[in-house]
Structure formats: structure tokens, C-alpha cells
Amino acid sequence: MKNWPKMNLAAGPVELTERTLRDQSRPVLYHYDPAFIELFEHTSALLQKVYQTRYDVIIMQGEAILGLEAAAACLISPGDKVLNLVSGVFGKWFELFIEKYGGEAVELAVPYNDAVDPEDVRAALKRTPGIKFLSVVHSETPSGTVNAVQAIGPIAREFGVLTIVDTVSGLGGEPLCPEEWGIDVAVAGPQKCLGGPPGLSLMAISPEAWKVMEGRKSPVRGSFLSILDWKNAWLEQQRFPYTPSVSDIYALESVLSQVLEEGVARYAARHAAIGRACRAGIKALGLSLWAAHEEIAGNAVTAVKIPEGLSDKQLRGHMRERYGVMISGGYGELAGQLFRLGHMGKAAHPTYLAAQLAILERTLADLGWPIELGTGVGAAMATLNDWDDSK
Ligand SMILES: *Cc1c(COP(=O)(O)O)cnc(C)c1O
């Protein structure tokens, strides 16, 4: 049997707080027990608060890819044009769903270390008549970058285009306002910045999006992918289309409560502060950020180019084997080009960042890379002079 890591600082799933672990392990209730109905209702209300929205929220019972595919399946009719923004692996992935459901993907792509310029979105919408949907990834976790959804969504709305946002690693860690930002369908996951276990799709749905789903020639119903089944069953009758993942809902209620107790804005600001500190540490070590410019670096993870002369396998393998610290490498097309330091959920804290950077430094030194131990940790901590958990 393999030894387990001392710290899981991967790009998700992430470590759970003790409170979440405890709450998740409560006795499993029958899903029609009044106590579970109450808990599911309460959890939905908490999710609405964390999303800062009055839109309906739907909790689909499968990892966030389910929510993303469900959005495509329920919204896109054959022949619909979808402007798909691609700035990384997940943006490109969504194209497969668009095409699978008969849509016509119109791609607006930038290199995977960059973000889409909102003005280019406007130009694309002007240039291509008949676009019905726009899809965009908020936080491109594999690249450690963010797209300016707050600017892109309102542009799409000007053109009467519905916006589908993958905010799987955005919710919690980045600011997000569905109504104000012109988002029609948002999909998040508990296992990234919210610091929960994987297994659910957390969705916010605008009235316009419901209208499109219901007004289609053949609305998607009677399917695991049907968001309408959840609307009809849960929102309209407090019933479930099938048995929900009871223990995952306990964990979700727990992490959402923890976010709200801290405050949504403060929770995101904590992630932003640790992201900034992490980048300062990386730069001080003479390493290069993957993001083309720092303004587009996200709060969930910090992506770093693999230093010349080292391999991903050496670097991450060493951290994991020698020191028990698990971090993520490049994903998909980015494999071998970068590694990612995770700072989501409880890891968005100086303690975890200090440990992570210190072990990275120790690893680099072990591998013969010229650094002075403490340089990165020092630079990171120097940015955190205002930190105070007691406030
Ligand atoms: C984690 C994540 C998903 C979910 O994908 P998995 O490969 O199942 O983890 C989708 N989109 C983004 C941006 C993510 O970070």
C-alpha cells in the first residue's frame, strides 16, 4: 500500500476541514425523511447566498462535468451557434459538448497562458450573426488564469446571447454575481475553492435559461442530464428525480455554512491574498509564472513553468515521495509544462502556503537547482503583513 500524503495541495479535490469531515460523517438519512428534506432545502438556500443570486439553484448529483454537460444538453438545440471562449483545457473541452448536442461551435481562442479580451468577444458577436449562446470558463484551473466574466457577460447580454459559465474553481475563490454579470447558467463544484469533497454540480439558472430549456421543440426530460427534471421534481414539488448523494449534501451544507460564516467577500479576499503571496514567493525564487501577465492569474492555484533542466516527474515526484506533499502538474495539453501550487479552501492560509513553498524550495535544492532556502517563503510572507485571523 502506498503511503498517504501529509498534505494534499492539488488543484482539486482538496483537503477538507475537520468540521466538514465531521459533518459529512453524520448518519445517512432516508432522502424523504423530513430532516433530509429540510437539510436539502437549507443547503440550497445557502448555495443561493454563496452564489449571491436570487436565481434558482440546482444541485445535480454528479461531479461538475455533469452540470457542464447538462447545460449543453438542455440548452443547445441542433444548429444553435455557440461562441465558445477557449483560454485553456476546460474551455476547449466544452466544445465537445457543444458538438455532441448538435450545436455549431464558433471558437474564440487565445494561448493557454492568456485570457480572452472582452472587446474581442464584442467583435466576434458583431462579426458572426445568429449566435445564441456564449460559453466561458471563469477560472481556468489547469492554467491558473481567469477570464473577465464580469465584462464578458454584460456584452453577451447586449447581443441577446445567453451565457454559460464554468466557475467550477471560481465560486468561493473569485468574486461572482450572476445577475449583474449577465450569467444565465453557472456551474461550480464543491471540491475546489469551497473546500468540499467532489461529487456534485452546483448550478445557478436564470429565468431566461429556463425559458430556453422549456421552450425547445423537444425539452430534455427523463434523463440523468436533465436540469428540468430537477426543476419539476425539487423546485416545484420538493421531490427528487432519484436518490441524492446524502452524505455529499451534508458536506456541502457544511462548506457553504463555513463560507457564509466567514463572509463571501472575505472568503474570496483570503484566496486572493494567498494567491498574491504565492506569486511573490515564486518570483522571488526566480521561477516563472505560467500566466502571461499577473493580472490574469487566478486565486485558486498558481501555475508555474517547470524550471529548465528539471522535469515535472522529478519535481512533483520528489515533493510527494520525500516530503509527502501532493501538488498538481499540467493537465491535458499542458502536461509536463507546468506545476501548480494549490491554495483553495483551508489551504488559502499562510500556514499552508509557507509549508508548500518551503517544501518546494527544499525540493529544488535537493535537485541541484541554485536557490537560497527561505527566499520564496520570505517574499510570500512579506506580502501578508495585514493578515489577522482574529479580526
Ligand atoms: C475541476 C474543474 C472541472 C471539473 O473537472 P474534473 O476533471 O472532473 O475535475 C471543470 N472545470 C474546471 C474549470 C475545473 O477546474
Side-chain angles (χ1 to χ4, degrees), residues 160-178:
V161 169
L162 259 61
T163 299
I164 304 163
V165 178
D166 171 347
T167 186
V168 175
S169 74
L171 187 66
E174 305 281 347
L176 181 69
C177 308

mmCIF file with all atom_site columns, all heavy atoms in Angstrom, residues 160-178:
data_model
loop_
_atom_site.group_PDB
_atom_site.id
_atom_site.type_symbol
_atom_site.label_atom_id
_atom_site.label_alt_id
_atom_site.label_comp_id
_atom_site.label_asym_id
_atom_site.label_entity_id
_atom_site.label_seq_id
_atom_site.pdbx_PDB_ins_code
_atom_site.Cartn_x
_atom_site.Cartn_y
_atom_site.Cartn_z
_atom_site.occupancy
_atom_site.B_iso_or_equiv
_atom_site.pdbx_formal_charge
_atom_site.auth_seq_id
_atom_site.auth_comp_id
_atom_site.auth_asym_id
_atom_site.auth_atom_id
_atom_site.pdbx_PDB_model_num
ATOM 1   N N   . GLY A 1 160 ? -28.164 39.846 -26.717 1.00 0.00 ? 160 GLY A N   1
ATOM 2   C CA  . GLY A 1 160 ? -29.242 38.875 -26.509 1.00 0.00 ? 160 GLY A CA  1
ATOM 3   C C   . GLY A 1 160 ? -28.751 37.440 -26.490 1.00 0.00 ? 160 GLY A C   1
ATOM 4   O O   . GLY A 1 160 ? -29.495 36.510 -26.814 1.00 0.00 ? 160 GLY A O   1
ATOM 5   N N   . VAL A 1 161 ? -27.484 37.262 -26.106 1.00 0.00 ? 161 VAL A N   1
ATOM 6   C CA  . VAL A 1 161 ? -26.873 35.928 -26.092 1.00 0.00 ? 161 VAL A CA  1
ATOM 7   C C   . VAL A 1 161 ? -26.846 35.392 -24.663 1.00 0.00 ? 161 VAL A C   1
ATOM 8   O O   . VAL A 1 161 ? -26.465 36.121 -23.735 1.00 0.00 ? 161 VAL A O   1
ATOM 9   C CB  . VAL A 1 161 ? -25.434 36.019 -26.667 1.00 0.00 ? 161 VAL A CB  1
ATOM 10  C CG1 . VAL A 1 161 ? -24.653 34.746 -26.430 1.00 0.00 ? 161 VAL A CG1 1
ATOM 11  C CG2 . VAL A 1 161 ? -25.486 36.366 -28.154 1.00 0.00 ? 161 VAL A CG2 1
ATOM 12  N N   . LEU A 1 162 ? -27.260 34.151 -24.464 1.00 0.00 ? 162 LEU A N   1
ATOM 13  C CA  . LEU A 1 162 ? -27.232 33.543 -23.127 1.00 0.00 ? 162 LEU A CA  1
ATOM 14  C C   . LEU A 1 162 ? -25.822 33.033 -22.795 1.00 0.00 ? 162 LEU A C   1
ATOM 15  O O   . LEU A 1 162 ? -25.163 32.463 -23.662 1.00 0.00 ? 162 LEU A O   1
ATOM 16  C CB  . LEU A 1 162 ? -28.226 32.375 -23.062 1.00 0.00 ? 162 LEU A CB  1
ATOM 17  C CG  . LEU A 1 162 ? -29.559 32.674 -22.375 1.00 0.00 ? 162 LEU A CG  1
ATOM 18  C CD1 . LEU A 1 162 ? -30.289 33.769 -23.131 1.00 0.00 ? 162 LEU A CD1 1
ATOM 19  C CD2 . LEU A 1 162 ? -30.420 31.431 -22.278 1.00 0.00 ? 162 LEU A CD2 1
ATOM 20  N N   . THR A 1 163 ? -25.422 33.238 -21.550 1.00 0.00 ? 163 THR A N   1
ATOM 21  C CA  . THR A 1 163 ? -24.051 32.898 -21.156 1.00 0.00 ? 163 THR A CA  1
ATOM 22  C C   . THR A 1 163 ? -24.003 31.703 -20.207 1.00 0.00 ? 163 THR A C   1
ATOM 23  O O   . THR A 1 163 ? -24.713 31.665 -19.210 1.00 0.00 ? 163 THR A O   1
ATOM 24  C CB  . THR A 1 163 ? -23.398 34.124 -20.478 1.00 0.00 ? 163 THR A CB  1
ATOM 25  O OG1 . THR A 1 163 ? -23.368 35.184 -21.424 1.00 0.00 ? 163 THR A OG1 1
ATOM 26  C CG2 . THR A 1 163 ? -21.986 33.831 -20.036 1.00 0.00 ? 163 THR A CG2 1
ATOM 27  N N   . ILE A 1 164 ? -23.155 30.752 -20.565 1.00 0.00 ? 164 ILE A N   1
ATOM 28  C CA  . ILE A 1 164 ? -22.926 29.559 -19.739 1.00 0.00 ? 164 ILE A CA  1
ATOM 29  C C   . ILE A 1 164 ? -21.517 29.686 -19.157 1.00 0.00 ? 164 ILE A C   1
ATOM 30  O O   . ILE A 1 164 ? -20.552 29.816 -19.907 1.00 0.00 ? 164 ILE A O   1
ATOM 31  C CB  . ILE A 1 164 ? -23.000 28.274 -20.595 1.00 0.00 ? 164 ILE A CB  1
ATOM 32  C CG1 . ILE A 1 164 ? -24.343 28.206 -21.342 1.00 0.00 ? 164 ILE A CG1 1
ATOM 33  C CG2 . ILE A 1 164 ? -22.759 27.029 -19.750 1.00 0.00 ? 164 ILE A CG2 1
ATOM 34  C CD1 . ILE A 1 164 ? -24.339 27.202 -22.507 1.00 0.00 ? 164 ILE A CD1 1
ATOM 35  N N   . VAL A 1 165 ? -21.417 29.666 -17.835 1.00 0.00 ? 165 VAL A N   1
ATOM 36  C CA  . VAL A 1 165 ? -20.108 29.882 -17.203 1.00 0.00 ? 165 VAL A CA  1
ATOM 37  C C   . VAL A 1 165 ? -19.671 28.670 -16.383 1.00 0.00 ? 165 VAL A C   1
ATOM 38  O O   . VAL A 1 165 ? -20.382 28.226 -15.483 1.00 0.00 ? 165 VAL A O   1
ATOM 39  C CB  . VAL A 1 165 ? -20.136 31.130 -16.294 1.00 0.00 ? 165 VAL A CB  1
ATOM 40  C CG1 . VAL A 1 165 ? -18.795 31.318 -15.596 1.00 0.00 ? 165 VAL A CG1 1
ATOM 41  C CG2 . VAL A 1 165 ? -20.472 32.375 -17.107 1.00 0.00 ? 165 VAL A CG2 1
ATOM 42  N N   . ASP A 1 166 ? -18.494 28.163 -16.721 1.00 0.00 ? 166 ASP A N   1
ATOM 43  C CA  . ASP A 1 166 ? -17.835 27.145 -15.906 1.00 0.00 ? 166 ASP A CA  1
ATOM 44  C C   . ASP A 1 166 ? -17.078 27.878 -14.806 1.00 0.00 ? 166 ASP A C   1
ATOM 45  O O   . ASP A 1 166 ? -16.012 28.440 -15.043 1.00 0.00 ? 166 ASP A O   1
ATOM 46  C CB  . ASP A 1 166 ? -16.883 26.319 -16.790 1.00 0.00 ? 166 ASP A CB  1
ATOM 47  C CG  . ASP A 1 166 ? -15.991 25.379 -15.989 1.00 0.00 ? 166 ASP A CG  1
ATOM 48  O OD1 . ASP A 1 166 ? -15.909 25.518 -14.756 1.00 0.00 ? 166 ASP A OD1 1
ATOM 49  O OD2 . ASP A 1 166 ? -15.335 24.516 -16.614 1.00 0.00 ? 166 ASP A OD2 1
ATOM 50  N N   . THR A 1 167 ? -17.677 27.905 -13.629 1.00 0.00 ? 167 THR A N   1
ATOM 51  C CA  . THR A 1 167 ? -16.998 28.535 -12.492 1.00 0.00 ? 167 THR A CA  1
ATOM 52  C C   . THR A 1 167 ? -16.700 27.471 -11.429 1.00 0.00 ? 167 THR A C   1
ATOM 53  O O   . THR A 1 167 ? -16.763 27.717 -10.228 1.00 0.00 ? 167 THR A O   1
ATOM 54  C CB  . THR A 1 167 ? -17.815 29.730 -11.926 1.00 0.00 ? 167 THR A CB  1
ATOM 55  O OG1 . THR A 1 167 ? -17.055 30.391 -10.910 1.00 0.00 ? 167 THR A OG1 1
ATOM 56  C CG2 . THR A 1 167 ? -19.171 29.301 -11.377 1.00 0.00 ? 167 THR A CG2 1
ATOM 57  N N   . VAL A 1 168 ? -16.337 26.280 -11.952 1.00 0.00 ? 168 VAL A N   1
ATOM 58  C CA  . VAL A 1 168 ? -16.110 25.136 -11.058 1.00 0.00 ? 168 VAL A CA  1
ATOM 59  C C   . VAL A 1 168 ? -15.074 25.487 -9.998  1.00 0.00 ? 168 VAL A C   1
ATOM 60  O O   . VAL A 1 168 ? -15.273 25.211 -8.813  1.00 0.00 ? 168 VAL A O   1
ATOM 61  C CB  . VAL A 1 168 ? -15.705 23.874 -11.862 1.00 0.00 ? 168 VAL A CB  1
ATOM 62  C CG1 . VAL A 1 168 ? -15.348 22.733 -10.915 1.00 0.00 ? 168 VAL A CG1 1
ATOM 63  C CG2 . VAL A 1 168 ? -16.834 23.450 -12.794 1.00 0.00 ? 168 VAL A CG2 1
ATOM 64  N N   . SER A 1 169 ? -13.987 26.133 -10.421 1.00 0.00 ? 169 SER A N   1
ATOM 65  C CA  . SER A 1 169 ? -12.977 26.512 -9.423  1.00 0.00 ? 169 SER A CA  1
ATOM 66  C C   . SER A 1 169 ? -13.034 28.010 -9.125  1.00 0.00 ? 169 SER A C   1
ATOM 67  O O   . SER A 1 169 ? -12.135 28.556 -8.498  1.00 0.00 ? 169 SER A O   1
ATOM 68  C CB  . SER A 1 169 ? -11.578 26.120 -9.895  1.00 0.00 ? 169 SER A CB  1
ATOM 69  O OG  . SER A 1 169 ? -11.144 26.991 -10.925 1.00 0.00 ? 169 SER A OG  1
ATOM 70  N N   . GLY A 1 170 ? -14.090 28.665 -9.604  1.00 0.00 ? 170 GLY A N   1
ATOM 71  C CA  . GLY A 1 170 ? -14.230 30.096 -9.344  1.00 0.00 ? 170 GLY A CA  1
ATOM 72  C C   . GLY A 1 170 ? -15.045 30.369 -8.092  1.00 0.00 ? 170 GLY A C   1
ATOM 73  O O   . GLY A 1 170 ? -14.640 31.132 -7.216  1.00 0.00 ? 170 GLY A O   1
ATOM 74  N N   . LEU A 1 171 ? -16.195 29.708 -7.987  1.00 0.00 ? 171 LEU A N   1
ATOM 75  C CA  . LEU A 1 171 ? -17.123 30.002 -6.885  1.00 0.00 ? 171 LEU A CA  1
ATOM 76  C C   . LEU A 1 171 ? -16.414 29.881 -5.528  1.00 0.00 ? 171 LEU A C   1
ATOM 77  O O   . LEU A 1 171 ? -15.802 28.862 -5.230  1.00 0.00 ? 171 LEU A O   1
ATOM 78  C CB  . LEU A 1 171 ? -18.338 29.062 -6.921  1.00 0.00 ? 171 LEU A CB  1
ATOM 79  C CG  . LEU A 1 171 ? -19.441 29.395 -5.917  1.00 0.00 ? 171 LEU A CG  1
ATOM 80  C CD1 . LEU A 1 171 ? -20.108 30.727 -6.229  1.00 0.00 ? 171 LEU A CD1 1
ATOM 81  C CD2 . LEU A 1 171 ? -20.487 28.293 -5.841  1.00 0.00 ? 171 LEU A CD2 1
ATOM 82  N N   . GLY A 1 172 ? -16.520 30.924 -4.758  1.00 0.00 ? 172 GLY A N   1
ATOM 83  C CA  . GLY A 1 172 ? -15.854 30.972 -3.457  1.00 0.00 ? 172 GLY A CA  1
ATOM 84  C C   . GLY A 1 172 ? -14.540 31.732 -3.538  1.00 0.00 ? 172 GLY A C   1
ATOM 85  O O   . GLY A 1 172 ? -14.303 32.652 -2.774  1.00 0.00 ? 172 GLY A O   1
ATOM 86  N N   . GLY A 1 173 ? -13.714 31.370 -4.498  1.00 0.00 ? 173 GLY A N   1
ATOM 87  C CA  . GLY A 1 173 ? -12.377 31.950 -4.581  1.00 0.00 ? 173 GLY A CA  1
ATOM 88  C C   . GLY A 1 173 ? -12.289 33.240 -5.379  1.00 0.00 ? 173 GLY A C   1
ATOM 89  O O   . GLY A 1 173 ? -11.343 34.008 -5.219  1.00 0.00 ? 173 GLY A O   1
ATOM 90  N N   . GLU A 1 174 ? -13.239 33.448 -6.269  1.00 0.00 ? 174 GLU A N   1
ATOM 91  C CA  . GLU A 1 174 ? -13.261 34.665 -7.094  1.00 0.00 ? 174 GLU A CA  1
ATOM 92  C C   . GLU A 1 174 ? -14.609 35.351 -6.862  1.00 0.00 ? 174 GLU A C   1
ATOM 93  O O   . GLU A 1 174 ? -15.610 34.682 -6.652  1.00 0.00 ? 174 GLU A O   1
ATOM 94  C CB  . GLU A 1 174 ? -13.159 34.323 -8.593  1.00 0.00 ? 174 GLU A CB  1
ATOM 95  C CG  . GLU A 1 174 ? -11.963 33.477 -9.009  1.00 0.00 ? 174 GLU A CG  1
ATOM 96  C CD  . GLU A 1 174 ? -10.673 34.273 -9.132  1.00 0.00 ? 174 GLU A CD  1
ATOM 97  O OE1 . GLU A 1 174 ? -10.740 35.524 -9.130  1.00 0.00 ? 174 GLU A OE1 1
ATOM 98  O OE2 . GLU A 1 174 ? -9.606  33.637 -9.216  1.00 0.00 ? 174 GLU A OE2 1
ATOM 99  N N   . PRO A 1 175 ? -14.647 36.680 -6.965  1.00 0.00 ? 175 PRO A N   1
ATOM 100 C CA  . PRO A 1 175 ? -15.951 37.349 -6.907  1.00 0.00 ? 175 PRO A CA  1
ATOM 101 C C   . PRO A 1 175 ? -16.834 36.846 -8.056  1.00 0.00 ? 175 PRO A C   1
ATOM 102 O O   . PRO A 1 175 ? -16.312 36.494 -9.119  1.00 0.00 ? 175 PRO A O   1
ATOM 103 C CB  . PRO A 1 175 ? -15.606 38.831 -7.113  1.00 0.00 ? 175 PRO A CB  1
ATOM 104 C CG  . PRO A 1 175 ? -14.140 38.942 -6.871  1.00 0.00 ? 175 PRO A CG  1
ATOM 105 C CD  . PRO A 1 175 ? -13.544 37.615 -7.183  1.00 0.00 ? 175 PRO A CD  1
ATOM 106 N N   . LEU A 1 176 ? -18.145 36.817 -7.841  1.00 0.00 ? 176 LEU A N   1
ATOM 107 C CA  . LEU A 1 176 ? -19.071 36.315 -8.857  1.00 0.00 ? 176 LEU A CA  1
ATOM 108 C C   . LEU A 1 176 ? -20.477 36.811 -8.534  1.00 0.00 ? 176 LEU A C   1
ATOM 109 O O   . LEU A 1 176 ? -20.941 36.659 -7.418  1.00 0.00 ? 176 LEU A O   1
ATOM 110 C CB  . LEU A 1 176 ? -19.050 34.775 -8.843  1.00 0.00 ? 176 LEU A CB  1
ATOM 111 C CG  . LEU A 1 176 ? -19.924 34.036 -9.849  1.00 0.00 ? 176 LEU A CG  1
ATOM 112 C CD1 . LEU A 1 176 ? -19.381 34.226 -11.248 1.00 0.00 ? 176 LEU A CD1 1
ATOM 113 C CD2 . LEU A 1 176 ? -19.957 32.541 -9.537  1.00 0.00 ? 176 LEU A CD2 1
ATOM 114 N N   . CYS A 1 177 ? -21.137 37.436 -9.514  1.00 0.00 ? 177 CYS A N   1
ATOM 115 C CA  . CYS A 1 177 ? -22.510 37.937 -9.325  1.00 0.00 ? 177 CYS A CA  1
ATOM 116 C C   . CYS A 1 177 ? -23.327 37.608 -10.561 1.00 0.00 ? 177 CYS A C   1
ATOM 117 O O   . CYS A 1 177 ? -23.298 38.367 -11.533 1.00 0.00 ? 177 CYS A O   1
ATOM 118 C CB  . CYS A 1 177 ? -22.531 39.448 -9.124  1.00 0.00 ? 177 CYS A CB  1
ATOM 119 S SG  . CYS A 1 177 ? -21.432 40.017 -7.840  1.00 0.00 ? 177 CYS A SG  1
ATOM 120 N N   . PRO A 1 178 ? -24.059 36.492 -10.573 1.00 0.00 ? 178 PRO A N   1
ATOM 121 C CA  . PRO A 1 178 ? -24.764 36.054 -11.779 1.00 0.00 ? 178 PRO A CA  1
ATOM 122 C C   . PRO A 1 178 ? -25.651 37.129 -12.426 1.00 0.00 ? 178 PRO A C   1
ATOM 123 O O   . PRO A 1 178 ? -25.531 37.366 -13.623 1.00 0.00 ? 178 PRO A O   1
ATOM 124 C CB  . PRO A 1 178 ? -25.573 34.860 -11.293 1.00 0.00 ? 178 PRO A CB  1
ATOM 125 C CG  . PRO A 1 178 ? -24.765 34.307 -10.171 1.00 0.00 ? 178 PRO A CG  1
ATOM 126 C CD  . PRO A 1 178 ? -24.179 35.507 -9.498  1.00 0.00 ? 178 PRO A CD  1
#
